[in-house]
């Protein structure tokens, strides 16, 4: 049973190895999660031969891409952005068919992806990431002369990118990982997610066209779709790959981390995995506005079809009538919520099993459950437990990767702090407070900042602003590398390494470090920032 | 057999756990490599109980140290620098006795260590590492308002530091790793190297006094000397340790990397291991000055007692009479060289075994060997092979960790490039060239930059300038993390992670992000750098 999806005109089911379309013997199909129907066309699954070819091309491209001027990188990323925009409605329709995500959400996600590509294009063009630093020679220094030292940051090497099932545009083929790796000058090999291969291929063709249009080496980008974890493992194990970026489940991320740890050459793995994104409801806020807090919470929890990486999955507040009022209002909203189709049957099954297992743990009660609506949907759920249970059973703080949350009732503020302290690393941590709560919050903020990459007050964590100050990351197990951010200008730093040039003749220096500064960079000279010429 | 060493007045043989002196049942002694004699006193070896106590203290100290104002960190590092200077001649004498390194070299190393501490104090004080970034709210933005976003970099957590046997001051207890971790706000637990425990303890006492004098939490620094690798493993495996910095052998570094990979929480490991530091001798340079090149090479190779991490261990040039003249002059200088005492009998034995094994490989000849001078010395050695042998047997490019080098004769420039391309990651890579060689060098520089953290022209790689543009690092296996530098201002970035604060009330923001900017930082506001107030 299969049906003709929208946008199929640009979807051929190919593996893209550099400029070449490759077809393979093993095929797979996308499934419409709303109907369970297989979608056309059949997709070639990439295998070891395609990993080999793509990595060889990426390595061949590296010397060229890594030395491409900022302007060429910026033009490439802008061309990808233009290409995504030009794909128009068919891209969104294909993504709707493959993921079950709402049309409006996907339209917004495309706009955000385009914006992120333009932000990284601007960053690439600025050359700020090169961090050009010059310490001129001091020939007469005593007791020894100082040599001429010049430093730049340069691309680390070919990067393997693994997109998320649940964010098929912003964290997939042309998402932040691909964009920041290309901005850094790293060739990219994308392992295409098997849940949205048509969406992936449409975007991949846009990236490939942008690479060609901007004059970059064709090996700068390859796209290897496929359902097998062996494909993922082979890509991470390939010695030509020098960094990995992944967004997805903890199991998936840890599996790739293990493959990387087994390499003879260790490489950075930036795996954004999962988080329960704790929310602390302070007593003044609960007293003043339990109903509006409940409405905001359920809106964030059930946003789109979920699962979102930043969904609020654990809330903690002081036991009492205000918390009960919050629970009642949230429960009512959850019972009234209409489940969206979930991305894949597999994700829905895992989510339902996780909720059932959580509900069956001692001391956990089901406060509210949403209606079930057809085979594709996963009903939202609110569970409840005492803080003492959570402290005794750390599994209660695991993310369920879907629209379910645990409301935790604590006896006092010290117990709230203990619950927070017992959590692992998080992408976000949120406080809801009133003015009168500030003295209680003062002790919690440093604790939350130690746990999470982003600390929010009086908001909800879903929705990640793309701005210079944003951090999309956090300590393990939210990510495998808490030193980094997957969003914003910090994202590019994941794919760079420093190189120092000592006493090189001018003609042998790379452009960013030459005396004539052909890339017109702002450079740090003898410790002071010299302004960008001509700007 | 033991003798009273200089400086013993301040050496008690204790483990330092925060402010406490601890003695243990298991003891070990330092050995004078020049005489083989055991030195007084006996040193308590730290064990699991001391690891536990030091890590618990470090964790307790973390909230305080990580939020200490820049000024307090700077004062602490300056007090360490003052303390090292005040230790005067006894520190150098103790280090001479324990390492066999020349007095002048150790005096210079102390000066460099003091300079590095002051440079990192200045950096800590500047607050530049905080990278304070503020994107003010845009309440009226369409379609959605932008929240107020503020980002800072903050300490990653307690850091374990492992010093090198061969650089007992600059890369040991108060070396660049400890200094940059403290500057970042990370408590430090040093695993003291068993080859120089007295030197280590003298320095450790200076660090502890500086921590106390600057008002930092006593858990900010502990010192755990001991000879067992189980001690090292227990420290790296401790879940409270959030990063590891190591300088030493590849075997040691890889062992720690494996322990770290076995943790449930992955942490960054900055292991600086070994390098052969290739040198390319281009034909014009060889023709013009083979004798002075040979003299410079042998001076760099036999600097101090070796082994130096940046010693030139592999040279490659075009086969012919100029290369032969270089080999002859270098051989004469090596035969005339007087071996210094080597650091430890173990290091000397490993070096001599490595040289013997290398000399026994097919196609390798011994071009020259230095005189043997007493039991402590390791004679320098120059080996020679054809490039084809090196390409066929990658083991020929392994570092011997001592004053021995392999001179490689290549048939043409393409073969030189192939030899370079076949090398693993390096700390340094050097070109010797004349004006007429620049066209040959142009193709090699990008290749060398891909292999090494520092590329030099017409110099020798030993001696690492402490300057903003310096990079002390390089791709694997020179280090386990080529994204970093162990020297210069980049060193601090190894121990930081970003945190974003969204819509926090002013009173709950950490000082660097408050509207009143109490730390007077230069901050990036809405994308533009705002100048530092009052400076």
């Amino acid at each position: 049973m299969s049906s003709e999806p929208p946008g199929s005109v640009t979807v051929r089911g190919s593996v893209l190895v550099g400029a070449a379309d490759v077809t393979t013997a093993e095929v797979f199909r996308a499934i419409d999660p709303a109907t369970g129907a297989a979608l056309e066309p059949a997709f070639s699954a990439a295998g070891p031969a395609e990993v080999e070819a793509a990595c060889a091309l990426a390595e061949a491209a590296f010397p060229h891409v890594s030395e491409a001027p900022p302007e060429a990188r910026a033009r490439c990323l802008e061309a990808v952005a233009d290409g995504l925009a030009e794909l128009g409605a068919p891209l969104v329709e294909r993504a709707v068919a493959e993921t079950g995500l709402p049309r409006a959400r996907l339209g917004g996600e495309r706009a955000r992806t385009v914006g992120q590509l333009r932000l990284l294009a601007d960053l690439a063009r600025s050359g700020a990431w090169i961090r050009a630093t010059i310490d001129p020679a001091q020939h007469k220094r005593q007791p020894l002369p100082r040599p001429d030292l010049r430093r730049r940051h340069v691309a680390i090497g070919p990067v393997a990118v693994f997109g998320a099932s649940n964010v098929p545009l912003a964290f997939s083929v042309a998402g932040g990982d691909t964009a920041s790796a290309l901005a850094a000058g790293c060739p990219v090999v994308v392992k295409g997610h098997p849940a949205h291969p048509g969406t992936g291929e449409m975007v991949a063709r846009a990236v490939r066209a942008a690479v060609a249009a901007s004059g970059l080496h064709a090996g700068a980008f390859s796209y290897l779709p496929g359902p097998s974890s062996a494909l993922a493992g082979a890509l991470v194990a390939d010695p030509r790959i020098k960094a990995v970026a992944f967004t997805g489940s903890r199991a998936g991320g840890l599996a790739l981390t293990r493959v990387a740890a087994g390499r003879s050459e260790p490489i950075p793995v930036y795996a954004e995995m999962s988080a329960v994104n704790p929310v602390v409801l302070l007593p003044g806020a609960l007293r003043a506005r339990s109903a509006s807090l409940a409405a905001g919470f359920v809106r964030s929890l059930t946003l789109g079809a979920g699962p979102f990486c930043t969904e609020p999955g654990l809330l903690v507040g002081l036991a009492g009538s205000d918390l009960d009022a919050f629970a009642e209002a949230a429960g009512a909203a959850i019972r009234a919520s209409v489940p969206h189709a979930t991305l894949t049957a597999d994700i829905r099954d895992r989510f339902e099993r996780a909720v059932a297992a959580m509900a069956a743990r001692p001391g956990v009660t089901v406060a509210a459950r949403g209606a079930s609506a057809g085979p594709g949907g996963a009903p939202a759920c609110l569970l409840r437990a005492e803080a003492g249970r959570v402290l005794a059973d750390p599994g209660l703080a695991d993310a369920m990767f879907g629209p379910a949350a645990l409301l935790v009732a604590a006896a006092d503020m010290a117990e709230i702090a203990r619950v927070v302290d017992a959590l692992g690393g998080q992408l976000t941590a949120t406080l809801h407070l009133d003015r009168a709560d500030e003295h209680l919050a003062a002790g919690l903020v440093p604790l939350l900042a130690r746990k999470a990459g982003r600390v929010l007050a009086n908001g909800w964590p879903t929705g990640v602003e793309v701005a210079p100050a944003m951090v999309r990351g956090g300590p393990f197990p939210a990510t495998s590398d808490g030193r980094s951010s997957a969003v914003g200008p910090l994202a590019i730093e994941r794919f760079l390494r420093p190189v120092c040039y000592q006493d090189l003749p001018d003609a042998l220096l790379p452009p960013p470090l030459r005396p004539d500064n052909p890339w017109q960079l702002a450079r740090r000279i003898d410790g002071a920032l010299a302004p960008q010429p001509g700007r």
Side-chain angles (χ1 to χ4, degrees), chain A residues 62 87 112 115 153 360 429 471 526 529:
Chain A
F62 180 70
L87 281 168
R112 176 180 153 195
H153 275 69
V471 174
D526 242 343
L529 202 62

Side-chain angles (χ1 to χ4, degrees), chain A residues 68-76 78 124-125 214:
Chain A
E71 183 60 29
R73 306 173 195 213
R75 279 202 312 269
C76 176
E78 286 164 348
R125 185 175 277 122
S214 55

Side-chain angles (χ1 to χ4, degrees), chain A residues 64-75:
Chain A
H64 307 279
V65 180
S66 63
E67 300 296 344
E71 183 60 29
R73 306 173 195 213
R75 279 202 312 269

Side-chain angles (χ1 to χ4, degrees), chain A residues 294-304 306 308 310-312 403 459-463:
Chain A
F297 157 60
V298 176
R299 212 160 35 234
S300 179
L301 184 71
T302 59
L303 190 71
F308 276 78
T310 53
E311 266 168 2
W460 296 95
T462 42

Side-chain angles (χ1 to χ4, degrees), chain A residues 4-431:
Chain A
E4 180 71 6
S8 60
V9 57
T10 55
V11 176
R12 291 184 204 140
S14 317
V15 177
L16 309 191
V17 177
D21 275 41
V22 175
T23 56
T24 66
E26 194 197 328
V27 298
F28 68 104
R29 278 190 160 75
I31 305 292
D32 183 336
T35 64
L39 297 171
E40 289 297 334
F43 288 87
S44 285
E50 288 71 46
V51 169
E52 168 60 35
C55 290
L57 262 182
E59 170 143 291
F62 180 70
H64 307 279
V65 180
S66 63
E67 300 296 344
E71 183 60 29
R73 306 173 195 213
R75 279 202 312 269
C76 176
L77 295 175
E78 286 164 348
V80 177
D82 292 345
L84 288 197
E86 283 160 17
L87 281 168
L91 176 64
V92 171
E93 294 308 315
R94 178 83 204 186
V96 168
E98 290 185 334
T99 66
L101 290 167
R103 202 161 272 114
R105 141 79 200 267
L106 286 165
E109 188 183 321
R110 191 235 306 263
R112 176 180 153 195
T113 309
V114 166
Q116 179 163 270
L117 284 158
R118 296 199 191 283
L119 186 132
L120 281 159
D122 290 346
L123 180 65
R125 185 175 277 122
S126 78
W129 50 273
I130 297 170
R131 300 174 72 175
T133 302
I134 299 176
D135 300 328
Q138 296 173 352
H139 298 294
K140 298 185 174 172
R141 192 184 62 171
Q142 293 299 329
L144 286 171
R146 182 171 84 173
D148 179 271
L149 296 168
R150 292 162 190 259
R151 165 163 64 81
R152 66 162 171 169
H153 275 69
V154 69
I156 198 170
V159 172
V161 170
F162 295 79
S165 62
N166 56 334
V167 199
L169 298 170
F171 284 93
S172 190
V173 178
D177 290 334
T178 296
S180 52
L182 286 174
C186 297
V188 171
V189 181
V190 171
K191 153 63 170 75
H193 200 289
H196 52 261
T199 311
E201 185 181 331
M202 291 171 83
V203 174
R205 290 187 182 279
V207 178
R208 183 165 84 177
V211 165
S214 55
L216 294 184
H217 188 290
F221 180 77
S222 289
Y223 170 71
L224 309 181
S228 95
S229 62
L231 167 62
L235 184 56
V236 172
D238 192 285
R240 292 160 293 201
I241 294 295
K242 300 300 184 195
V244 174
F246 166 92
T247 312
S249 68
R250 192 186 301 184
L254 292 180
L256 294 189
T257 305
R258 275 192 301 273
V259 173
R263 292 170 54 115
S264 63
E265 175 183 0
I267 54 171
V269 178
Y270 303 102
E272 186 190 300
M273 296 182 285
S274 60
V276 73
N277 299 298
V279 176
V280 179
L281 304 165
L282 287 172
L286 267 184
R287 191 168 323 121
R289 51 180 196 276
S290 60
S292 71
L293 285 174
F297 157 60
V298 176
R299 212 160 35 234
S300 179
L301 184 71
T302 59
L303 190 71
F308 276 78
C309 305
T310 53
E311 266 168 2
L314 185 143
L315 303 92
V316 56
L318 293 184
S321 57
D322 294 329
L323 193 67
D324 293 341
F326 171 86
E328 198 163 313
I334 278 178
R335 278 186 291 270
S337 69
V338 177
H340 297 285
T342 303
L343 296 158
T344 68
D346 185 46
I347 287 177
R348 190 183 58 242
D349 291 350
R350 259 189 290 156
F351 168 65
E352 292 189 336
R353 279 200 305 274
V355 174
M358 197 68 87
R361 285 181 185 251
V364 177
T365 56
V366 177
R369 204 191 288 270
S372 190
C381 185
L382 182 64
L383 303 168
R384 195 168 167 166
E386 304 297 310
R389 301 293 331 168
V390 179
L391 291 170
D393 178 0
L396 287 182
D398 283 348
M400 291 174 271
F401 208 53
L406 180 70
L407 180 63
V408 178
D412 52 27
M413 285 303 301
E415 204 173 44
I416 289 182
R418 282 203 299 280
V419 167
V420 171
D421 196 39
L423 296 174
Q426 304 289 336
L427 293 174
T428 70
T430 301
L431 275 175

